[in-house]
Every structure is written in C-alpha cells, then in structure tokens.
Amino acid sequence: MPSPKTRAFTPKVVTANALLEGDVVYLTHQGDWTRHHHEADLIEDQATADLRLLEAQAQAHEVVGPYLADAKPGEHGPEPIHFREAFRTRGPSNYAHGKQEA
C-alpha cells in the first residue's frame, strides 16, 4: 500500500501577543521579540519550527498565544501569506492607534 503523500513544508514565523501591551509580536533569529513582521526569523523546516515554537512557549512572562504562521521570503524580510496574518501586521482595527496612527 503506498504511503500518503506528504505536503511540502511552508516557511513559517513564530508570532504571539506581547503580554503587557497586547501588541502582535514576532520571534527574531536572536530569540527576542519584534513588532515588525519583516524582522521575524523565517523558518525553513519543520524541526526548527517546532523548536522555535517551544522556545516561544517558554517565554510566558513576555508573550501569550504563540503559534506558527505561514510566511514567504520577501524583499525586506518575511511577508505574511494569509489575510489574517497580513491584517495582524497593521495592528488593532477598532480605531486609529498604535501602528495605524502613523
């Protein structure tokens, strides 16, 4: 019996929300957090993605709800693939403050 076809890995970034401010944040290559998607570490394989997510989950004193989000290489760094993630890069949507204020 043939094995089921495995789906190719899609590059990922680790994203979460900052514990105190609630801002969307991204894990960088150095292991700290940034509010800019293009500064996130673009992860190219599942094993590394799993390890980076565990690293983020261990930082509960800084962030809440870390997860892996699909991304793609861009001219200035990782870019979101899905609408939800692109929307999160723009900040809160209820009124102009934070990232939307600029």
Side-chain angles (χ1 to χ4, degrees):
M1 180 173 210
S3 63
K5 194 173 190 177
T6 58
R7 195 169 144 189
F9 180 80
T10 302
K12 313 267 188 241
V13 297
V14 177
T15 184
N17 289 88
L19 181 62
L20 298 179
E21 302 88 3
D23 291 350
V24 175
V25 292
Y26 306 93
L27 192 63
T28 68
H29 183 71
Q30 294 80 17
D32 54 350
W33 296 95
T34 181
R35 285 163 172 73
H36 305 287
H37 192 282
H38 67 274
E39 294 176 355
D41 182 21
L42 185 63
I43 304 164
E44 301 283 349
D45 66 89
Q46 188 66 55
T48 303
D50 293 342
L51 288 173
R52 296 305 307 252
L53 182 57
L54 286 172
E55 177 184 337
Q57 291 169 337
Q59 296 183 35
H61 61 286
E62 291 185 57
V63 297
V64 293
Y67 65 93
L68 296 169
D70 292 342
K72 64 182 179 182
E75 186 176 330
H76 300 289
E79 296 177 357
I81 292 177
H82 299 292
F83 171 78
R84 177 178 189 253
E85 298 308 319
F87 190 77
R88 290 182 81 228
T89 66
R90 294 190 291 272
S93 60
N94 55 349
Y95 57 91
H97 60 60
K99 294 177 191 175
Q100 292 183 354
E101 191 174 54

